[in-house]
PDB file of all heavy atoms in Angstrom:
ATOM      1  N   GLY A1008       0.794  -1.220   0.000  1.00  0.00           N
ATOM      2  CA  GLY A1008       0.000   0.000   0.000  1.00  0.00           C
ATOM      3  C   GLY A1008       0.828   1.272   0.000  1.00  0.00           C
ATOM      4  O   GLY A1008       0.299   2.376   0.014  1.00  0.00           O
ATOM      5  N   GLY A1009       2.160   1.132  -0.003  1.00  0.00           N
ATOM      6  CA  GLY A1009       3.044   2.290  -0.060  1.00  0.00           C
ATOM      7  C   GLY A1009       3.420   2.880   1.287  1.00  0.00           C
ATOM      8  O   GLY A1009       4.091   3.905   1.352  1.00  0.00           O
ATOM      9  N   VAL A1010       3.029   2.227   2.370  1.00  0.00           N
ATOM     10  CA  VAL A1010       3.371   2.716   3.713  1.00  0.00           C
ATOM     11  C   VAL A1010       4.790   2.266   4.053  1.00  0.00           C
ATOM     12  O   VAL A1010       5.138   1.104   3.844  1.00  0.00           O
ATOM     13  CB  VAL A1010       2.371   2.182   4.765  1.00  0.00           C
ATOM     14  CG1 VAL A1010       2.773   2.620   6.164  1.00  0.00           C
ATOM     15  CG2 VAL A1010       0.967   2.637   4.435  1.00  0.00           C
ATOM     16  N   SER A1011       5.595   3.187   4.556  1.00  0.00           N
ATOM     17  CA  SER A1011       6.978   2.866   4.927  1.00  0.00           C
ATOM     18  C   SER A1011       7.105   2.725   6.438  1.00  0.00           C
ATOM     19  O   SER A1011       6.577   3.539   7.187  1.00  0.00           O
ATOM     20  CB  SER A1011       7.927   3.959   4.451  1.00  0.00           C
ATOM     21  OG  SER A1011       8.001   3.964   3.044  1.00  0.00           O
ATOM     22  N   HIS A1012       7.804   1.682   6.848  1.00  0.00           N
ATOM     23  CA  HIS A1012       8.134   1.456   8.250  1.00  0.00           C
ATOM     24  C   HIS A1012       9.662   1.408   8.328  1.00  0.00           C
ATOM     25  O   HIS A1012      10.301   0.703   7.547  1.00  0.00           O
ATOM     26  CB  HIS A1012       7.550   0.133   8.751  1.00  0.00           C
ATOM     27  CG  HIS A1012       6.072   0.062   8.643  1.00  0.00           C
ATOM     28  ND1 HIS A1012       5.222   0.638   9.557  1.00  0.00           N
ATOM     29  CD2 HIS A1012       5.280  -0.514   7.708  1.00  0.00           C
ATOM     30  CE1 HIS A1012       3.969   0.408   9.207  1.00  0.00           C
ATOM     31  NE2 HIS A1012       3.984  -0.287   8.081  1.00  0.00           N
ATOM     32  N   TRP A1013      10.232   2.141   9.254  1.00  0.00           N
ATOM     33  CA  TRP A1013      11.681   2.209   9.401  1.00  0.00           C
ATOM     34  C   TRP A1013      12.138   1.308  10.530  1.00  0.00           C
ATOM     35  O   TRP A1013      11.472   1.182  11.552  1.00  0.00           O
ATOM     36  CB  TRP A1013      12.110   3.646   9.647  1.00  0.00           C
ATOM     37  CG  TRP A1013      11.857   4.501   8.442  1.00  0.00           C
ATOM     38  CD1 TRP A1013      10.712   5.190   8.165  1.00  0.00           C
ATOM     39  CD2 TRP A1013      12.728   4.708   7.349  1.00  0.00           C
ATOM     40  NE1 TRP A1013      10.836   5.816   6.957  1.00  0.00           N
ATOM     41  CE2 TRP A1013      12.068   5.547   6.431  1.00  0.00           C
ATOM     42  CE3 TRP A1013      14.017   4.265   7.037  1.00  0.00           C
ATOM     43  CZ2 TRP A1013      12.640   5.955   5.235  1.00  0.00           C
ATOM     44  CZ3 TRP A1013      14.594   4.677   5.846  1.00  0.00           C
ATOM     45  CH2 TRP A1013      13.912   5.510   4.962  1.00  0.00           C
ATOM     46  N   CYS A1014      13.295   0.682  10.334  1.00  0.00           N
ATOM     47  CA  CYS A1014      13.832  -0.260  11.304  1.00  0.00           C
ATOM     48  C   CYS A1014      15.328  -0.018  11.474  1.00  0.00           C
ATOM     49  O   CYS A1014      16.053   0.103  10.479  1.00  0.00           O
ATOM     50  CB  CYS A1014      13.581  -1.679  10.788  1.00  0.00           C
ATOM     51  SG  CYS A1014      14.334  -2.981  11.780  1.00  0.00           S
ATOM     52  N   TRP A1015      15.789   0.050  12.701  1.00  0.00           N
ATOM     53  CA  TRP A1015      17.210   0.183  13.016  1.00  0.00           C
ATOM     54  C   TRP A1015      17.671  -1.174  13.516  1.00  0.00           C
ATOM     55  O   TRP A1015      17.292  -1.608  14.598  1.00  0.00           O
ATOM     56  CB  TRP A1015      17.404   1.269  14.069  1.00  0.00           C
ATOM     57  CG  TRP A1015      18.822   1.529  14.434  1.00  0.00           C
ATOM     58  CD1 TRP A1015      19.417   1.242  15.619  1.00  0.00           C
ATOM     59  CD2 TRP A1015      19.829   2.140  13.627  1.00  0.00           C
ATOM     60  NE1 TRP A1015      20.736   1.632  15.589  1.00  0.00           N
ATOM     61  CE2 TRP A1015      21.015   2.193  14.372  1.00  0.00           C
ATOM     62  CE3 TRP A1015      19.852   2.634  12.314  1.00  0.00           C
ATOM     63  CZ2 TRP A1015      22.196   2.722  13.880  1.00  0.00           C
ATOM     64  CZ3 TRP A1015      21.027   3.172  11.829  1.00  0.00           C
ATOM     65  CH2 TRP A1015      22.183   3.210  12.609  1.00  0.00           C
ATOM     66  N   ALA A1016      18.468  -1.871  12.709  1.00  0.00           N
ATOM     67  CA  ALA A1016      18.962  -3.209  13.071  1.00  0.00           C
ATOM     68  C   ALA A1016      20.359  -3.073  13.658  1.00  0.00           C
ATOM     69  O   ALA A1016      21.191  -2.327  13.143  1.00  0.00           O
ATOM     70  CB  ALA A1016      18.984  -4.098  11.838  1.00  0.00           C
ATOM     71  N   GLU A1017      20.611  -3.829  14.729  1.00  0.00           N
ATOM     72  CA  GLU A1017      21.896  -3.753  15.440  1.00  0.00           C
ATOM     73  C   GLU A1017      22.470  -5.149  15.643  1.00  0.00           C
ATOM     74  O   GLU A1017      21.778  -6.051  16.092  1.00  0.00           O
ATOM     75  CB  GLU A1017      21.690  -3.081  16.789  1.00  0.00           C
ATOM     76  CG  GLU A1017      21.139  -1.679  16.648  1.00  0.00           C
ATOM     77  CD  GLU A1017      20.707  -1.089  17.970  1.00  0.00           C
ATOM     78  OE1 GLU A1017      20.091  -1.816  18.789  1.00  0.00           O
ATOM     79  OE2 GLU A1017      20.970   0.097  18.178  1.00  0.00           O
ATOM     80  N   GLN A1018      23.739  -5.294  15.331  1.00  0.00           N
ATOM     81  CA  GLN A1018      24.411  -6.591  15.430  1.00  0.00           C
ATOM     82  C   GLN A1018      24.392  -7.143  16.855  1.00  0.00           C
ATOM     83  O   GLN A1018      24.208  -8.345  17.058  1.00  0.00           O
ATOM     84  CB  GLN A1018      25.857  -6.474  14.949  1.00  0.00           C
ATOM     85  CG  GLN A1018      26.626  -7.776  15.038  1.00  0.00           C
ATOM     86  CD  GLN A1018      28.081  -7.631  14.625  1.00  0.00           C
ATOM     87  OE1 GLN A1018      28.588  -6.530  14.477  1.00  0.00           O
ATOM     88  NE2 GLN A1018      28.748  -8.740  14.427  1.00  0.00           N
ATOM     89  N   PHE A1019      24.575  -6.307  17.854  1.00  0.00           N
ATOM     90  CA  PHE A1019      24.704  -6.811  19.226  1.00  0.00           C
ATOM     91  C   PHE A1019      23.438  -7.487  19.744  1.00  0.00           C
ATOM     92  O   PHE A1019      23.492  -8.277  20.675  1.00  0.00           O
ATOM     93  CB  PHE A1019      25.165  -5.698  20.182  1.00  0.00           C
ATOM     94  CG  PHE A1019      24.071  -4.788  20.652  1.00  0.00           C
ATOM     95  CD1 PHE A1019      23.364  -5.070  21.808  1.00  0.00           C
ATOM     96  CD2 PHE A1019      23.758  -3.634  19.942  1.00  0.00           C
ATOM     97  CE1 PHE A1019      22.360  -4.219  22.253  1.00  0.00           C
ATOM     98  CE2 PHE A1019      22.767  -2.780  20.387  1.00  0.00           C
ATOM     99  CZ  PHE A1019      22.058  -3.075  21.534  1.00  0.00           C
ATOM    100  N   ARG A1020      22.290  -7.227  19.134  1.00  0.00           N
ATOM    101  CA  ARG A1020      21.042  -7.840  19.615  1.00  0.00           C
ATOM    102  C   ARG A1020      21.005  -9.346  19.343  1.00  0.00           C
ATOM    103  O   ARG A1020      20.502 -10.106  20.154  1.00  0.00           O
ATOM    104  CB  ARG A1020      19.844  -7.171  18.968  1.00  0.00           C
ATOM    105  CG  ARG A1020      19.767  -5.712  19.325  1.00  0.00           C
ATOM    106  CD  ARG A1020      18.366  -5.326  19.620  1.00  0.00           C
ATOM    107  NE  ARG A1020      18.329  -3.909  19.937  1.00  0.00           N
ATOM    108  CZ  ARG A1020      18.049  -3.452  21.137  1.00  0.00           C
ATOM    109  NH1 ARG A1020      17.780  -4.287  22.113  1.00  0.00           N
ATOM    110  NH2 ARG A1020      18.022  -2.163  21.369  1.00  0.00           N
ATOM    111  N   ARG A1021      21.498  -9.772  18.176  1.00  0.00           N
ATOM    112  CA  ARG A1021      21.555 -11.204  17.828  1.00  0.00           C
ATOM    113  C   ARG A1021      22.798 -11.438  16.984  1.00  0.00           C
ATOM    114  O   ARG A1021      22.713 -11.675  15.788  1.00  0.00           O
ATOM    115  CB  ARG A1021      20.301 -11.626  17.056  1.00  0.00           C
ATOM    116  CG  ARG A1021      19.048 -11.405  17.839  1.00  0.00           C
ATOM    117  CD  ARG A1021      18.031 -12.448  17.985  1.00  0.00           C
ATOM    118  NE  ARG A1021      18.193 -13.770  17.545  1.00  0.00           N
ATOM    119  CZ  ARG A1021      17.274 -14.415  16.860  1.00  0.00           C
ATOM    120  NH1 ARG A1021      16.172 -13.834  16.493  1.00  0.00           N
ATOM    121  NH2 ARG A1021      17.466 -15.669  16.537  1.00  0.00           N
ATOM    122  N   PRO A1022      23.977 -11.374  17.598  1.00  0.00           N
ATOM    123  CA  PRO A1022      25.220 -11.466  16.822  1.00  0.00           C
ATOM    124  C   PRO A1022      25.354 -12.760  16.021  1.00  0.00           C
ATOM    125  O   PRO A1022      25.946 -12.761  14.941  1.00  0.00           O
ATOM    126  CB  PRO A1022      26.320 -11.353  17.873  1.00  0.00           C
ATOM    127  CG  PRO A1022      25.676 -11.584  19.179  1.00  0.00           C
ATOM    128  CD  PRO A1022      24.226 -11.251  19.031  1.00  0.00           C
ATOM    129  N   GLU A1023      24.779 -13.841  16.501  1.00  0.00           N
ATOM    130  CA  GLU A1023      24.874 -15.114  15.782  1.00  0.00           C
ATOM    131  C   GLU A1023      24.064 -15.111  14.485  1.00  0.00           C
ATOM    132  O   GLU A1023      24.319 -15.895  13.581  1.00  0.00           O
ATOM    133  CB  GLU A1023      24.426 -16.286  16.683  1.00  0.00           C
ATOM    134  CG  GLU A1023      22.947 -16.359  16.959  1.00  0.00           C
ATOM    135  CD  GLU A1023      22.419 -15.385  18.008  1.00  0.00           C
ATOM    136  OE1 GLU A1023      23.193 -14.594  18.567  1.00  0.00           O
ATOM    137  OE2 GLU A1023      21.201 -15.425  18.274  1.00  0.00           O
ATOM    138  N   ARG A1024      23.079 -14.202  14.354  1.00  0.00           N
ATOM    139  CA  ARG A1024      22.227 -14.123  13.164  1.00  0.00           C
ATOM    140  C   ARG A1024      22.588 -12.965  12.243  1.00  0.00           C
ATOM    141  O   ARG A1024      22.058 -12.846  11.148  1.00  0.00           O
ATOM    142  CB  ARG A1024      20.754 -13.988  13.579  1.00  0.00           C
ATOM    143  CG  ARG A1024      20.171 -15.156  14.353  1.00  0.00           C
ATOM    144  CD  ARG A1024      20.278 -16.509  13.665  1.00  0.00           C
ATOM    145  NE  ARG A1024      19.775 -16.541  12.325  1.00  0.00           N
ATOM    146  CZ  ARG A1024      18.546 -16.895  11.978  1.00  0.00           C
ATOM    147  NH1 ARG A1024      17.685 -17.277  12.889  1.00  0.00           N
ATOM    148  NH2 ARG A1024      18.174 -16.890  10.720  1.00  0.00           N
ATOM    149  N   TRP A1025      23.506 -12.100  12.694  1.00  0.00           N
ATOM    150  CA  TRP A1025      23.851 -10.901  11.929  1.00  0.00           C
ATOM    151  C   TRP A1025      24.337 -11.227  10.505  1.00  0.00           C
ATOM    152  O   TRP A1025      23.857 -10.609   9.552  1.00  0.00           O
ATOM    153  CB  TRP A1025      24.869 -10.060  12.686  1.00  0.00           C
ATOM    154  CG  TRP A1025      25.115  -8.736  12.048  1.00  0.00           C
ATOM    155  CD1 TRP A1025      26.237  -8.338  11.395  1.00  0.00           C
ATOM    156  CD2 TRP A1025      24.218  -7.632  12.001  1.00  0.00           C
ATOM    157  NE1 TRP A1025      26.105  -7.058  10.951  1.00  0.00           N
ATOM    158  CE2 TRP A1025      24.870  -6.595  11.305  1.00  0.00           C
ATOM    159  CE3 TRP A1025      22.922  -7.413  12.472  1.00  0.00           C
ATOM    160  CZ2 TRP A1025      24.268  -5.357  11.066  1.00  0.00           C
ATOM    161  CZ3 TRP A1025      22.329  -6.173  12.237  1.00  0.00           C
ATOM    162  CH2 TRP A1025      23.000  -5.162  11.548  1.00  0.00           C
ATOM    163  N   PRO A1026      25.258 -12.181  10.318  1.00  0.00           N
ATOM    164  CA  PRO A1026      25.677 -12.485   8.940  1.00  0.00           C
ATOM    165  C   PRO A1026      24.510 -12.945   8.057  1.00  0.00           C
ATOM    166  O   PRO A1026      24.447 -12.600   6.881  1.00  0.00           O
ATOM    167  CB  PRO A1026      26.706 -13.605   9.111  1.00  0.00           C
ATOM    168  CG  PRO A1026      27.211 -13.456  10.508  1.00  0.00           C
ATOM    169  CD  PRO A1026      26.033 -12.961  11.304  1.00  0.00           C
ATOM    170  N   ASP A1027      23.572 -13.692   8.632  1.00  0.00           N
ATOM    171  CA  ASP A1027      22.397 -14.142   7.876  1.00  0.00           C
ATOM    172  C   ASP A1027      21.548 -12.955   7.440  1.00  0.00           C
ATOM    173  O   ASP A1027      21.090 -12.894   6.298  1.00  0.00           O
ATOM    174  CB  ASP A1027      21.538 -15.096   8.711  1.00  0.00           C
ATOM    175  CG  ASP A1027      22.273 -16.370   9.096  1.00  0.00           C
ATOM    176  OD1 ASP A1027      23.180 -16.781   8.343  1.00  0.00           O
ATOM    177  OD2 ASP A1027      21.948 -16.930  10.150  1.00  0.00           O
ATOM    178  N   LEU A1028      21.318 -12.024   8.352  1.00  0.00           N
ATOM    179  CA  LEU A1028      20.529 -10.836   8.029  1.00  0.00           C
ATOM    180  C   LEU A1028      21.212 -10.037   6.929  1.00  0.00           C
ATOM    181  O   LEU A1028      20.571  -9.632   5.955  1.00  0.00           O
ATOM    182  CB  LEU A1028      20.326  -9.959   9.263  1.00  0.00           C
ATOM    183  CG  LEU A1028      19.622  -8.621   8.994  1.00  0.00           C
ATOM    184  CD1 LEU A1028      18.206  -8.843   8.483  1.00  0.00           C
ATOM    185  CD2 LEU A1028      19.625  -7.750  10.228  1.00  0.00           C
ATOM    186  N   ARG A1029      22.509  -9.825   7.049  1.00  0.00           N
ATOM    187  CA  ARG A1029      23.233  -9.042   6.043  1.00  0.00           C
ATOM    188  C   ARG A1029      23.150  -9.703   4.663  1.00  0.00           C
ATOM    189  O   ARG A1029      22.928  -9.030   3.659  1.00  0.00           O
ATOM    190  CB  ARG A1029      24.683  -8.845   6.457  1.00  0.00           C
ATOM    191  CG  ARG A1029      24.809  -7.878   7.641  1.00  0.00           C
ATOM    192  CD  ARG A1029      26.243  -7.529   7.924  1.00  0.00           C
ATOM    193  NE  ARG A1029      26.919  -6.987   6.766  1.00  0.00           N
ATOM    194  CZ  ARG A1029      26.810  -5.727   6.321  1.00  0.00           C
ATOM    195  NH1 ARG A1029      26.041  -4.879   6.956  1.00  0.00           N
ATOM    196  NH2 ARG A1029      27.472  -5.332   5.267  1.00  0.00           N
ATOM    197  N   ARG A1030      23.292 -11.025   4.613  1.00  0.00           N
ATOM    198  CA  ARG A1030      23.172 -11.716   3.327  1.00  0.00           C
ATOM    199  C   ARG A1030      21.765 -11.570   2.762  1.00  0.00           C
ATOM    200  O   ARG A1030      21.579 -11.340   1.574  1.00  0.00           O
ATOM    201  CB  ARG A1030      23.529 -13.197   3.479  1.00  0.00           C
ATOM    202  CG  ARG A1030      25.021 -13.462   3.546  1.00  0.00           C
ATOM    203  CD  ARG A1030      25.316 -14.950   3.465  1.00  0.00           C
ATOM    204  NE  ARG A1030      24.812 -15.696   4.601  1.00  0.00           N
ATOM    205  CZ  ARG A1030      25.483 -15.893   5.735  1.00  0.00           C
ATOM    206  NH1 ARG A1030      26.688 -15.396   5.889  1.00  0.00           N
ATOM    207  NH2 ARG A1030      24.954 -16.600   6.712  1.00  0.00           N
ATOM    208  N   ALA A1031      20.780 -11.715   3.605  1.00  0.00           N
ATOM    209  CA  ALA A1031      19.394 -11.668   3.146  1.00  0.00           C
ATOM    210  C   ALA A1031      18.991 -10.282   2.641  1.00  0.00           C
ATOM    211  O   ALA A1031      18.318 -10.176   1.613  1.00  0.00           O
ATOM    212  CB  ALA A1031      18.456 -12.111   4.267  1.00  0.00           C
ATOM    213  N   VAL A1032      19.399  -9.223   3.321  1.00  0.00           N
ATOM    214  CA  VAL A1032      18.975  -7.888   2.870  1.00  0.00           C
ATOM    215  C   VAL A1032      19.607  -7.510   1.539  1.00  0.00           C
ATOM    216  O   VAL A1032      19.059  -6.694   0.801  1.00  0.00           O
ATOM    217  CB  VAL A1032      19.224  -6.769   3.915  1.00  0.00           C
ATOM    218  CG1 VAL A1032      18.433  -7.018   5.175  1.00  0.00           C
ATOM    219  CG2 VAL A1032      20.683  -6.566   4.203  1.00  0.00           C
ATOM    220  N   TYR A1033      20.744  -8.111   1.218  1.00  0.00           N
ATOM    221  CA  TYR A1033      21.388  -7.808  -0.057  1.00  0.00           C
ATOM    222  C   TYR A1033      21.080  -8.829  -1.149  1.00  0.00           C
ATOM    223  O   TYR A1033      21.516  -8.685  -2.279  1.00  0.00           O
ATOM    224  CB  TYR A1033      22.902  -7.662   0.131  1.00  0.00           C
ATOM    225  CG  TYR A1033      23.251  -6.365   0.800  1.00  0.00           C
ATOM    226  CD1 TYR A1033      23.761  -6.331   2.094  1.00  0.00           C
ATOM    227  CD2 TYR A1033      23.056  -5.155   0.151  1.00  0.00           C
ATOM    228  CE1 TYR A1033      24.079  -5.138   2.721  1.00  0.00           C
ATOM    229  CE2 TYR A1033      23.362  -3.954   0.765  1.00  0.00           C
ATOM    230  CZ  TYR A1033      23.875  -3.950   2.040  1.00  0.00           C
ATOM    231  OH  TYR A1033      24.170  -2.761   2.656  1.00  0.00           O
ATOM    232  N   SER A1034      20.306  -9.859  -0.832  1.00  0.00           N
ATOM    233  CA  SER A1034      19.921 -10.860  -1.829  1.00  0.00           C
ATOM    234  C   SER A1034      18.704 -10.378  -2.597  1.00  0.00           C
ATOM    235  O   SER A1034      17.850  -9.686  -2.062  1.00  0.00           O
ATOM    236  CB  SER A1034      19.566 -12.187  -1.150  1.00  0.00           C
ATOM    237  OG  SER A1034      20.693 -12.730  -0.538  1.00  0.00           O
ATOM    238  N   ARG A1035      18.623 -10.804  -3.823  1.00  0.00           N
ATOM    239  CA  ARG A1035      17.448 -10.481  -4.629  1.00  0.00           C
ATOM    240  C   ARG A1035      16.379 -11.541  -4.379  1.00  0.00           C
ATOM    241  O   ARG A1035      16.685 -12.699  -4.141  1.00  0.00           O
ATOM    242  CB  ARG A1035      17.800 -10.459  -6.103  1.00  0.00           C
ATOM    243  CG  ARG A1035      18.816  -9.400  -6.435  1.00  0.00           C
ATOM    244  CD  ARG A1035      18.731  -9.081  -7.907  1.00  0.00           C
ATOM    245  NE  ARG A1035      19.737  -8.119  -8.283  1.00  0.00           N
ATOM    246  CZ  ARG A1035      19.549  -6.803  -8.259  1.00  0.00           C
ATOM    247  NH1 ARG A1035      18.407  -6.316  -7.854  1.00  0.00           N
ATOM    248  NH2 ARG A1035      20.489  -5.978  -8.637  1.00  0.00           N
ATOM    249  N   ALA A1036      15.119 -11.117  -4.498  1.00  0.00           N
ATOM    250  CA  ALA A1036      14.012 -12.058  -4.343  1.00  0.00           C
ATOM    251  C   ALA A1036      14.036 -13.060  -5.495  1.00  0.00           C
ATOM    252  O   ALA A1036      14.480 -12.754  -6.601  1.00  0.00           O
ATOM    253  CB  ALA A1036      12.681 -11.304  -4.334  1.00  0.00           C
ATOM    254  N   LYS A1037      13.548 -14.254  -5.217  1.00  0.00           N
ATOM    255  CA  LYS A1037      13.480 -15.287  -6.251  1.00  0.00           C
ATOM    256  C   LYS A1037      12.432 -14.895  -7.282  1.00  0.00           C
ATOM    257  O   LYS A1037      11.351 -14.440  -6.933  1.00  0.00           O
ATOM    258  CB  LYS A1037      13.086 -16.622  -5.628  1.00  0.00           C
ATOM    259  CG  LYS A1037      14.078 -17.142  -4.627  1.00  0.00           C
ATOM    260  CD  LYS A1037      13.544 -18.402  -3.997  1.00  0.00           C
ATOM    261  CE  LYS A1037      14.441 -18.835  -2.854  1.00  0.00           C
ATOM    262  NZ  LYS A1037      13.865 -19.951  -2.115  1.00  0.00           N
ATOM    263  N   SER A1038      12.738 -15.092  -8.559  1.00  0.00           N
ATOM    264  CA  SER A1038      11.754 -14.810  -9.604  1.00  0.00           C
ATOM    265  C   SER A1038      10.873 -16.036  -9.796  1.00  0.00           C
ATOM    266  O   SER A1038      11.224 -17.142  -9.406  1.00  0.00           O
ATOM    267  CB  SER A1038      12.447 -14.431 -10.908  1.00  0.00           C
ATOM    268  OG  SER A1038      13.212 -15.509 -11.371  1.00  0.00           O
ATOM    269  N   ALA A1039       9.740 -15.842 -10.427  1.00  0.00           N
ATOM    270  CA  ALA A1039       8.802 -16.936 -10.641  1.00  0.00           C
ATOM    271  C   ALA A1039       9.403 -18.002 -11.554  1.00  0.00           C
ATOM    272  O   ALA A1039       9.229 -19.183 -11.341  1.00  0.00           O
ATOM    273  CB  ALA A1039       7.502 -16.412 -11.220  1.00  0.00           C
ATOM    274  N   ALA A1040      10.109 -17.572 -12.582  1.00  0.00           N
ATOM    275  CA  ALA A1040      10.737 -18.530 -13.494  1.00  0.00           C
ATOM    276  C   ALA A1040      12.114 -18.006 -13.883  1.00  0.00           C
ATOM    277  O   ALA A1040      12.255 -16.882 -14.312  1.00  0.00           O
ATOM    278  CB  ALA A1040       9.881 -18.715 -14.737  1.00  0.00           C
ATOM    279  N   VAL A1041      13.093 -18.830 -13.728  1.00  0.00           N
ATOM    280  CA  VAL A1041      14.455 -18.481 -14.114  1.00  0.00           C
ATOM    281  C   VAL A1041      14.683 -19.080 -15.491  1.00  0.00           C
ATOM    282  O   VAL A1041      14.354 -20.248 -15.714  1.00  0.00           O
ATOM    283  CB  VAL A1041      15.464 -19.035 -13.082  1.00  0.00           C
ATOM    284  CG1 VAL A1041      16.884 -18.702 -13.490  1.00  0.00           C
ATOM    285  CG2 VAL A1041      15.146 -18.491 -11.700  1.00  0.00           C
ATOM    286  N   PRO A1042      15.240 -18.301 -16.460  1.00  0.00           N
ATOM    287  CA  PRO A1042      15.362 -18.819 -17.832  1.00  0.00           C
ATOM    288  C   PRO A1042      16.000 -20.205 -17.947  1.00  0.00           C
ATOM    289  O   PRO A1042      15.543 -21.011 -18.733  1.00  0.00           O
ATOM    290  CB  PRO A1042      16.233 -17.761 -18.518  1.00  0.00           C
ATOM    291  CG  PRO A1042      15.970 -16.514 -17.752  1.00  0.00           C
ATOM    292  CD  PRO A1042      15.722 -16.963 -16.331  1.00  0.00           C
ATOM    293  N   HIS A1043      17.013 -20.530 -17.167  1.00  0.00           N
ATOM    294  CA  HIS A1043      17.629 -21.845 -17.296  1.00  0.00           C
ATOM    295  C   HIS A1043      16.793 -22.965 -16.678  1.00  0.00           C
ATOM    296  O   HIS A1043      17.101 -24.125 -16.833  1.00  0.00           O
ATOM    297  CB  HIS A1043      19.050 -21.839 -16.725  1.00  0.00           C
ATOM    298  CG  HIS A1043      19.123 -21.678 -15.245  1.00  0.00           C
ATOM    299  ND1 HIS A1043      18.525 -20.664 -14.570  1.00  0.00           N
ATOM    300  CD2 HIS A1043      19.733 -22.434 -14.307  1.00  0.00           C
ATOM    301  CE1 HIS A1043      18.756 -20.783 -13.280  1.00  0.00           C
ATOM    302  NE2 HIS A1043      19.479 -21.856 -13.093  1.00  0.00           N
ATOM    303  N   ASP A1044      15.692 -22.602 -16.000  1.00  0.00           N
ATOM    304  CA  ASP A1044      14.793 -23.607 -15.453  1.00  0.00           C
ATOM    305  C   ASP A1044      13.686 -23.973 -16.431  1.00  0.00           C
ATOM    306  O   ASP A1044      12.926 -24.904 -16.217  1.00  0.00           O
ATOM    307  CB  ASP A1044      14.135 -23.104 -14.158  1.00  0.00           C
ATOM    308  CG  ASP A1044      15.122 -23.075 -13.010  1.00  0.00           C
ATOM    309  OD1 ASP A1044      16.185 -23.713 -13.119  1.00  0.00           O
ATOM    310  OD2 ASP A1044      14.840 -22.403 -12.009  1.00  0.00           O
ATOM    311  N   ILE A1045      13.554 -23.222 -17.530  1.00  0.00           N
ATOM    312  CA  ILE A1045      12.501 -23.468 -18.500  1.00  0.00           C
ATOM    313  C   ILE A1045      13.015 -24.495 -19.511  1.00  0.00           C
ATOM    314  O   ILE A1045      14.047 -24.288 -20.144  1.00  0.00           O
ATOM    315  CB  ILE A1045      12.102 -22.155 -19.220  1.00  0.00           C
ATOM    316  CG1 ILE A1045      11.585 -21.149 -18.182  1.00  0.00           C
ATOM    317  CG2 ILE A1045      11.057 -22.445 -20.284  1.00  0.00           C
ATOM    318  CD1 ILE A1045      11.356 -19.773 -18.735  1.00  0.00           C
ATOM    319  N   PRO A1046      12.313 -25.613 -19.660  1.00  0.00           N
ATOM    320  CA  PRO A1046      12.783 -26.646 -20.587  1.00  0.00           C
ATOM    321  C   PRO A1046      12.722 -26.158 -22.034  1.00  0.00           C
ATOM    322  O   PRO A1046      11.807 -25.452 -22.420  1.00  0.00           O
ATOM    323  CB  PRO A1046      11.845 -27.820 -20.356  1.00  0.00           C
ATOM    324  CG  PRO A1046      10.665 -27.259 -19.653  1.00  0.00           C
ATOM    325  CD  PRO A1046      11.087 -25.997 -18.990  1.00  0.00           C
ATOM    326  N   GLU A1047      13.725 -26.541 -22.795  1.00  0.00           N
ATOM    327  CA  GLU A1047      13.745 -26.178 -24.217  1.00  0.00           C
ATOM    328  C   GLU A1047      12.982 -27.231 -24.999  1.00  0.00           C
ATOM    329  O   GLU A1047      13.008 -28.406 -24.668  1.00  0.00           O
ATOM    330  CB  GLU A1047      15.190 -26.114 -24.705  1.00  0.00           C
ATOM    331  CG  GLU A1047      15.977 -24.995 -24.051  1.00  0.00           C
ATOM    332  CD  GLU A1047      17.385 -24.926 -24.603  1.00  0.00           C
ATOM    333  OE1 GLU A1047      17.619 -25.384 -25.744  1.00  0.00           O
ATOM    334  OE2 GLU A1047      18.244 -24.422 -23.887  1.00  0.00           O
ATOM    335  N   THR A1048      12.328 -26.787 -26.074  1.00  0.00           N
ATOM    336  CA  THR A1048      11.617 -27.739 -26.930  1.00  0.00           C
ATOM    337  C   THR A1048      12.462 -27.945 -28.174  1.00  0.00           C
ATOM    338  O   THR A1048      13.097 -27.024 -28.687  1.00  0.00           O
ATOM    339  CB  THR A1048      10.228 -27.218 -27.307  1.00  0.00           C
ATOM    340  OG1 THR A1048      10.365 -25.923 -27.930  1.00  0.00           O
ATOM    341  CG2 THR A1048       9.342 -27.070 -26.075  1.00  0.00           C
TER     342      THR A1048
END
């Protein structure tokens, strides 16, 4: 709906999960179909 919510994330709150969070925020979302997944005829 276009509403923005701001979040301040801090490593010290869950240091064991920090690398996971950093990887996830910089990862792209999965697309519905990836060209190499489509079978060729």
Side-chain angles (χ1 to χ4, degrees):
V1010 177
S1011 292
H1012 300 279
W1013 293 89
C1014 174
W1015 182 249
E1017 300 170 318
Q1018 179 183 12
F1019 81 90
R1020 298 222 181 248
R1021 300 229 7 227
E1023 72 282 0
R1024 297 304 308 266
W1025 188 251
D1027 298 332
L1028 174 63
R1029 289 188 56 79
R1030 282 189 295 272
V1032 298
Y1033 286 111
S1034 295
R1035 298 201 183 270
K1037 297 176 188 173
S1038 63
V1041 179
H1043 68 307
D1044 287 344
I1045 299 172
E1047 294 182 24
T1048 56

